[in-house]
Amino acid sequence: MVWECIIINKMKNKYASCGLNYDLIREKYPDVNEYEETVNAYLADEFFEELDMMLEYEDYAMAKDAVKGLYVLAGELCLFPLYEDLLELFEDLEYETYGETRQHYEEMIDTYEKIRSVFNA
């Protein structure tokens, strides 16, 4: 029982280090190993890397579609810091306010990298 508490505390700290709520995640996804496999697959999505080029070449329609898919999945996976950053970027693309797009992209990538480092993706 003591080991179980230690492991749970380590997991809570791991998730909290990148802004995630372990208890909320466990409530929705009881099998943590399966959840982490799913998150790693999500974090390996090529759109995270391709977004930079889409924005550089001003392919805003493609970027908007990619971001929408990414933020929906981030919400489903309870990756709320990433969800919020992706939503900011989506709003720039949706309302064609491209002035802050690069800044919001950089903030999203920072959050993405932070979460990715914790999940070893």
Side-chain angles (χ1 to χ4, degrees), residues 5-29:
C5 288
I6 291 171
I7 291 170
I8 289 172
N9 281 335
K10 286 181 90 172
M11 293 298 288
K12 283 184 177 188
N13 291 336
K14 171 184 168 178
Y15 282 50
S17 72
C18 60
L20 304 180
N21 183 322
Y22 177 79
D23 294 324
L24 181 67
I25 291 168
R26 279 299 301 260
E27 185 177 306
K28 188 170 182 179
Y29 300 97

Side-chain angles (χ1 to χ4, degrees), residues 20 39 42-43 45-52 54-55 60 62-95 97 100-113 115:
L20 304 180
V39 169
Y42 166 74
L43 294 172
D45 191 307
E46 295 173 354
F47 281 131
F48 283 110
E49 300 298 324
E50 294 171 1
L51 269 172
D52 188 32
M54 290 176 201
L55 295 174
Y60 298 126
M62 179 69 92
K64 180 179 159 186
D65 289 343
V67 170
K68 184 175 184 178
L70 292 172
Y71 89 71
V72 167
L73 288 172
E76 284 296 312
L77 293 170
C78 302
L79 302 172
F80 295 123
L82 184 57
Y83 170 82
E84 291 171 3
D85 287 349
L86 285 162
L87 194 55
E88 287 284 334
L89 183 55
F90 180 79
E91 288 176 355
D92 292 342
L93 298 166
E94 174 73 10
Y95 299 112
T97 53
E100 295 182 6
T101 303
R102 181 52 61 179
Q103 176 187 345
H104 288 146
Y105 169 78
E106 295 296 333
E107 290 168 1
M108 182 277 296
I109 284 296
D110 287 345
T111 303
Y112 164 79
E113 291 294 340
I115 292 172

